[in-house]
Amino acid sequence: MTETAADPLGTRPPLTLVKNTPTDPAPADPPATDPVVEAVDRADNPLADWLSVPDAPVLPAWARSAASIKSNAAAFGRLTWWHTQYHGFRVPKYLVKTVLLAARGFFRATMGLWPTLSAQDHTATVKALRAQVKARPEDVDLATRLQMAHFERTRTRRWRFGAAAAGVAAAAVGIALADPVLQAGIAGAVVTPLAYLGRGKETHLLDQGAPPLRVDMSAQQLNDALRAAGLLKSGRATEDEKDAPRVSCSMGPVRDGRGWAVIFDLPRGGGKTASDVLAKREVIAQELGVDEIQVIMSRVRASKGGNAGRVSMWVADDDPYLGKPNPSPFATAERFSIWDPIPFGQDARGNRIEVPVMWQSMFFGGLPRRGKTFTQRLMTAAGLLDAYVRHYVADGKGGADWMPMRAVAHRLVMGAEDDAIEALKAMLAELLVEMERRFAILRELPTSICPEGKLTPEIVQRYNLPVIFVTIDELQEYFTAMEREDREQVINDLCRIARRGPAAGFVSNFASQRPDADSVPTKLREIITLRYSTQVVDRASSDMVLGKGKAAQGADASVLSEDHVGTGVLVTGPASYVTVRADYLDGTGFATLCQKGRALRQAAGQLTGDAAGDVTAAADASGVKLPPILSDALEVMRHSPRMFTTDLLAGLVNLDEDVYGDFNAEKLAAGLEAAGVKRTSKQVKISGTNAAGYQRRDIEAAVPAEILLAHG
C-alpha cells in the first residue's frame, strides 16, 4: 500500500505518531547531504580540504543496529538455503548436461587433434613433393622421395602416439581397478575440462533460478519492475547496454522487519517523478510477484534528504494485515487522558499508530461488516476512561453496538424513527447552545488562564467544561429518513459543530456506510480533519471517504479485501496517510469500559443527562440483572412515552434479530408479563390513532423499586 506514514525512512505524518516496536526496528535514515564538520571547515585551516568530510553514517544501513544485522544475516541464510535446495534438486539434470557437454568437448578435441593423430603432415616440403607427384605420377623416384620425407617427419610422432596410447590403456586399467572415490575424482578431472571445451557462448551449466521476493530482493528486480511499468526506458539493461537507465539505490535492498526496504532515485532525463512511481503501485507489485497490499511506498521529502525523484519502498513478505488482531490497550486500562494521543492500531511493519484527537474531527466510512463501527468505538472508548469527557451519541441503525453507552452518555439517540430524529435535532440544538456558551466564557477569561482562546485541561476542571465527544454512527440513516428542510438544518448544525466546535473542546466522531453526496454531503465531509476508511468498492468511493484525489496519491481503501476486517486507510493531513490494522475491542470489552466510565464519572460528579436517569444502566451498575426483554423494550422506547405494539416489535427485531426475529404480539405480551410488566391499558393513542401498544411508565414500573429510588 502506498502511504507516507510507514516507510524505510521512518517518515511520519504530522498528526500520526508512529512508535517502533522491539520486533521491527526502525530502518536507518537515508544518506543526506549535511554540512561538513565546522571544526575543520575554515578558510584559515590549510588541512580543510583533507579533513572536511560529510557528516554521513559510517556503517551501511544493514549494520546500524543489532536487530538489523540479525535480520539481514537471517536473510542471507535463507538465500543460501534456497539456492542449495534449488540446485540440489537439479543435480541429476546437471550431471546429464555435463556428460553431454563433455561428449561435445571430446568431439571438438578429437577434431582438433586428428591431423596429428592421423600422422598428417602439411609442411611446405611435403606439399611441394605431393604437387610434383600429382603432376608426374610416372616418376617413381619422386614418389619414393615423398614417402621417405613423410617417414622421417612422422617417426617421432609414431612412437609418441604409441606411448600415449599405451599410457591411456594403462591408465584405463588402473582406473578400473582403483577405489570408487578415486575413480570419481579422476572422472571429474577428465570430464570437467572436456565439458568446459564443449560449452557454447549461451550455454550455462546451472539453471538461472530467481528466488521469490521474500527470500531475496535485488536492484535488478526493481529496475525490471520499473521498466515494465514504463518508468524507465524500454529494453532490459544488460552488461552490453551500459547506457540503459537504472535507478540509483541510496539504501538497500536490505531486510527490515518482515520485508525488504529500499530507497532509490529515479534517473534524470527520463521525465519521471516519485509521484509517477506511487501511481504505478499495482503494476510494480505485479512485476515483483507480490500483491499490491504488500508494497508500501512514499516520497522522501527534503527534510529527510530526499528530492522529487526519491522513493522509499518497503515490500512485505506476505499480507501484513492478516492474522490474529491486536487487543486494544483500553481493554485493561483504568484511566486515560483524552489530551494524549489515542492508541489506534499498528501499521504494516508493526509500528504503533497513535492519533491525537483534541482540536480534530473524525469521519469513518466503508462497507458493512468490515469493522467500521468497532474502529469508530475505539475513539469513543478513549473518552470513556476520562471522567471529564461528556458523550453525546446517536446511532442511526439503533442496534446493539452503542447500547452500552446508556451507562455513560449525556445524550443517547437510538434509531432513525420519527421520535429519534426529533431527539437528534434536540441534541444538536443543545450542543450549539453549549458551544456558544463556552465561547462566551473563554472570551472573558484572562490570557494568563486562556492564552490561545481555547480549552485547556486546567479550564476543563476549574470551570467544569468537560471535553464533549459527539459520536454519530450511520449518518446516512438519518439523512435518508429526514425531510429536505430537516436534513438541511441537521447538516448545517453538524457543519457548525465540526468547524467551530474543536476550539470549545468538541470532538466530532461521525461514520457512514455510504459517503456519497446524498448520504453525507460534501460540505460536511470536506471539513473533517481525520478520516478512516475500511474496504470500499472502488477508488471513487475511497475518495468520497478519504478526500478527493487521495487514491491517486496512494491512499486507496479499494485495494483492501474482505479478509481485511478492522483494517483501513487513515488520513491525517493533505499528504499524510497510513494503512492501519486497528486494535480490537469487542462488544463485551466495550460494555465493560462503559461501566468503568460510569464509575469514574460518579466519583468525579460528572454523571449527567440521560445516563444519570437511565434505570437499566443504574441496574447494571448496582449489580441487579434486569430481564433482557425488559431492558430491551426500555431501550426501544427511549424517546417515546408510548408505542404501538407493531413498532415495538420492529424496534426489538432491529435491536437483536436473533432473539426477537420470531416474536409476535402474543409472545411479546407473555414475555413482558413474565418480566413483571402490568399494563394499565392495552390501547395507546398516538397522533389521534388508537391501537394496541404499551406505555413506557408501565414497563419502568417493573424495575425494582430500590433502583428507582436510588436514581430518581
Side-chain angles (χ1 to χ4, degrees), residues 338-339 357-360 388-390 392 431-443 445 450 452-457 459-460 463-470 496-508:
I338 200 63
W339 297 87
V357 296
M358 287 303 299
W359 326 124
Q360 306 298 327
Y388 285 89
V389 174
R390 183 173 294 169
Y392 287 72
L431 285 168
L432 291 174
V433 170
E434 175 64 14
M435 184 174 68
E436 297 302 331
R437 183 182 78 87
R438 291 185 174 214
F439 279 126
I441 293 175
L442 294 175
R443 284 194 298 268
L445 294 177
C450 185
E452 298 181 3
K454 297 191 298 185
L455 208 63
T456 65
I459 294 175
V460 165
Y463 294 93
N464 192 26
L465 297 176
V467 174
I468 291 181
F469 243 78
V470 184
R496 290 179 62 190
I497 292 171
R499 184 170 50 248
R500 300 185 60 226
F506 284 51
V507 179
S508 300

Side-chain angles (χ1 to χ4, degrees), residues 156-210:
T156 57
R157 192 177 302 164
R158 285 195 300 273
W159 73 261
R160 287 179 181 176
F161 179 75
V168 171
V173 173
I175 292 173
L177 299 176
D179 183 84
V181 176
L182 181 59
Q183 291 177 344
I186 295 173
V190 174
V191 170
T192 300
L194 289 176
Y196 181 79
L197 183 62
R199 80 195 191 287
K201 289 184 178 180
E202 302 299 327
T203 302
H204 298 283
L205 177 62
L206 302 181
D207 292 349
Q208 305 300 309

Side-chain angles (χ1 to χ4, degrees), residues 479 487-488 491 516-526:
F479 291 148
R487 183 173 181 271
E488 290 299 321
I491 291 171
D516 52 60
D518 294 329
S519 301
V520 183
T522 303
K523 71 176 182 179
L524 174 59
R525 282 184 281 123
E526 291 304 315

Side-chain angles (χ1 to χ4, degrees), residues 594-614:
C594 288
Q595 292 302 320
K596 288 183 180 180
R598 184 181 180 89
L600 289 173
R601 283 159 178 75
Q602 285 178 326
Q606 292 295 317
L607 188 66
T608 58
D610 294 347
D614 193 291

Side-chain angles (χ1 to χ4, degrees), residues 186-267:
I186 295 173
V190 174
V191 170
T192 300
L194 289 176
Y196 181 79
L197 183 62
R199 80 195 191 287
K201 289 184 178 180
E202 302 299 327
T203 302
H204 298 283
L205 177 62
L206 302 181
D207 292 349
Q208 305 300 309
L213 199 66
R214 70 164 58 199
V215 174
D216 184 42
M217 181 179 181
S218 66
Q220 185 59 50
Q221 287 175 297
L222 181 60
N223 278 288
D224 292 343
L226 294 175
R227 189 167 291 108
L231 299 169
L232 297 177
K233 289 183 180 179
S234 301
R236 184 183 178 89
T238 65
E239 294 181 358
D240 296 328
E241 298 173 350
K242 300 297 184 182
D243 296 332
R246 306 179 187 181
V247 298
S248 174
C249 294
S250 58
M251 186 193 84
V254 295
R255 287 295 297 179
D256 184 8
R258 296 175 296 134
W260 294 92
V262 59
I263 301 172
F264 62 89
D265 291 316
L266 292 171

Side-chain angles (χ1 to χ4, degrees), residues 323-327 581-584:
K324 187 177 180 180
N326 305 300
R581 190 180 188 196
D583 293 335
Y584 180 67

